[in-house]
Amino acid sequence: MNKQILVTRSSLPPIEEFSEKLASIWDSAWLTNMGKYHNELEEKLTNYLDVKNISLFVNGHLALELVIQAMNLTGEVITTPFTFASTTHAIVRNGLTPVFCDIDENDYTIDVNKIEKLITNKTSAIVPVHVYGNICNINEIEKIAKKYNLKVIYDAAHAFGETYENVGIGNFGDASMFSFHATKVFNTIEGGAITFSDEKLKAQLYKLKNFGINDETTVDVVGSNAKMNEFQAIMGLCNLNYIEEEIEKRKKIVMIYREKLGNIKGLSICNEKKGLKSNYAYFPLLVDENIFGVTRDEICEKLKDKNIYARKYFYPLTNSFDCYKNEYNVNETPCALKISHRILTLPLYANLPEEVVNTICDIILKLGKK
Ligand SMILES: *Cc1c(COP(=O)(O)O)cnc(C)c1O
């Protein structure tokens, strides 16, 4: 490739639409603090995600940190290490102990058969991840949470716009966090949201993202600053007009990948779950070097030689990060460990040209034949 092909490329609305809204921010000179566009986006996302309650944030990570704080969790939280740094950090930064559960080898979400034996009298919540937009086993998680009286907060950073059995994905568990980072299916430059079931959480989240300020003279919780500003909100409003188109274009690319790489010995791809309306956020490819003949790392290098940048996402596991050195044992999550060494996410974004997708597949297939 003459041009660098990165794993993702941010979707941008037509610049005229953005400029028009930008000009109106100049008129009002209202830049942040729950402005008109913030409120409009909140309303539109409530509709689009088909949820009861939503609260917008400056980014997904702070949204997750603050919803954990809002729920007053204590002790231990069961989660997975096969995720972005954010999930684990959000738990630890709240003074809680992450307890790592292994993942399912087919869809890389939390292995529901391994949750119960990790529950102790200190467990207060489960934080599962809809990783790559693959939906967790929601029904089993709900059963376990009910039985042990645990809160469930989904990291739904990858699951924007998905539905399961025609229900918006943000309706499951006690709360879900969405990320609107530039690299995600829907972006507000940086941004995020919490969707939640208990209406009472709304006021608490509002306070927590605004320094814990209750009214002009009372500050009654140790809050943070995590408000979404008006510039982020107009980017969201503009991008939301094109979201269906965005997902449709991604789907086309995923279909090519699936067709070309789906039936190759030594390569595994994720199948679509029954009942799920996917957003085609990522295309993870699992490489079994013993069968395919070359390793994930070799494929990644060979693509790089051709100016194509796939990502080893998620590698390394969060429970092996330097900052958690000696605290956790990666061997307790052997399936996640194995997959983290074999997974490669291929370039995927709305305007990725089809011929590039074909080239990527051809490079990979040629490597395997050797
Ligand atoms: C992107 C992401 C986040 C964090 O979202 P930001 O908006 O970037 O703060 C959290 N979890 C996962 C799995 C993510 O991919």
Side-chain angles (χ1 to χ4, degrees), residues 245-296:
E245 206 177 300
E246 163 83 23
I247 293 173
E248 215 32 57
K249 284 179 170 173
R250 287 172 168 274
K251 180 177 180 176
K252 270 205 184 123
I253 290 160
V254 167
M255 291 305 158
I256 302 173
Y257 275 138
R258 281 195 187 155
E259 195 187 305
K260 295 200 103 172
L261 304 174
N263 285 308
I264 307 296
K265 284 203 179 71
L267 301 181
S268 313
I269 62 171
C270 293
N271 290 311
E272 224 157 299
K273 193 179 175 123
K274 244 180 90 186
L276 170 71
K277 180 180 164 275
S278 175
N279 63 3
Y280 305 97
Y282 297 89
F283 190 82
L285 181 70
L286 190 75
V287 184
D288 183 342
E289 67 270 18
N290 300 320
I291 302 171
F292 191 64
V294 289
T295 63
R296 179 271 312 266

Side-chain angles (χ1 to χ4, degrees), residues 58-62 64 83-84 86-87 129 155 157-158 177-181 183-184 190-192 282 313-314:
V58 69
N59 60 53
H61 176 76
L62 281 171
L64 187 58
T83 181
F84 187 52
S86 171
T87 324
V129 184
D155 181 331
H158 297 175
M177 177 276 284
F178 292 90
S179 165
F180 310 149
H181 183 257
T183 56
K184 303 294 197 310
E190 294 255 11
Y282 297 89
Y313 198 56
F314 294 98

